[in-house]
Amino acid sequence: MLLAFLCFAGMDTSAKWLVAAAIPALQVAWLRYLGHLICTVLVYAPKHGTSMIRSNKPGVQALRALFLLAATCLNFTALQYLPLTTAIAIFFVTPLTVCLLSIPILGEKVGIKRLLAVMTGFIGVLIIVEPWSQQFEPAIILSLAAMSCASGYFVMSRLVAGVDSNATVQFYVAGIATVLLAPVAVMNWVWPEDPLTWFVIVLIGSLGAFGHSCLSNAHRHAEASVLAPVVYSQIIYIAVLSWLVFGQTPDSKTIIGTLIIVSSGLFIWFRERQALQ
């Protein structure tokens, strides 16, 4: 799980580097999924063949893939304007949003303490984005929309848990996004200008495929409630990569807001663990 989130942090860093190199965000997203699809086919096709195309819940798998696709496109677009640390801090609201969505969609019961933790987490978001400030960055809205779509993706993941093989899950996620984004990517295509940009393009797709594979394998060996807090390791990875690659460090409001969001998320995880015991 730690390795998976290191891959995701590297993927976001690569995406920000590519959009800064004037590669369109939707082209970057398509290249990310194309690389993911190629890796999926190379790894799973020899063993599973065409069976990886067949799903027991194709509609839910397709909706899940669309949520992740929307989250990726919105996030990569937001990264053109936002520091990595700000974007990832907003992403950490996802577990709180999933907690809310699980009530109407999954029929789960959420007590008053967890609802208060969710509200506290959203206060952390307000501290980071400062919507009342004259320096409010409109790209924050894109990042919040990406977080909302990612929350839908995780809720759908709960609905299809154990329904299909890892090969099928990976194929749907990568295949649908690759097909849908291809026309947009081709129409706005920008050729990379140097070998380093080509290397980062190959890297972003490989990191996506390997990260999701690590994630799936982690869930096969441990309960989701055990693995959940590991998501917060990403803030450490992002802080280091943001400093090394872009020379950016998180400001005080981002640090304070992130600590509030993480604390709220960990409290919800603790309450869920208690409910399972």
Side-chain angles (χ1 to χ4, degrees), residues 6 34 71 108 237 250:
L6 177 59
L34 177 64
E108 297 181 1
Y237 298 142

Side-chain angles (χ1 to χ4, degrees), residues 183-197:
V184 181
V186 171
M187 285 190 296
N188 299 280
W189 188 264
V190 173
W191 285 104
E193 296 182 351
D194 54 74
L196 179 59
T197 306

Side-chain angles (χ1 to χ4, degrees), residues 138-167:
I140 289 284
I141 297 172
L142 293 174
S143 198
L144 288 168
M147 178 274 298
S148 300
C149 291
S151 300
Y153 165 77
F154 285 115
V155 172
M156 293 297 104
S157 297
R158 291 190 184 185
L159 286 176
V160 297
V163 169
D164 293 316
S165 67
N166 189 33

Side-chain angles (χ1 to χ4, degrees), residues 263-274:
S263 299
S264 301
L266 290 175
F267 177 80
I268 288 174
W269 164 78
F270 175 72
R271 296 293 297 179
E272 289 180 349
R273 287 281 290 171
Q274 282 189 322

Side-chain angles (χ1 to χ4, degrees), residues 229-241:
V230 183
V231 65
Y232 296 116
S233 64
Q234 201 169 358
I235 192 62
I236 300 172
Y237 298 142
I238 285 291
V240 173
L241 289 171

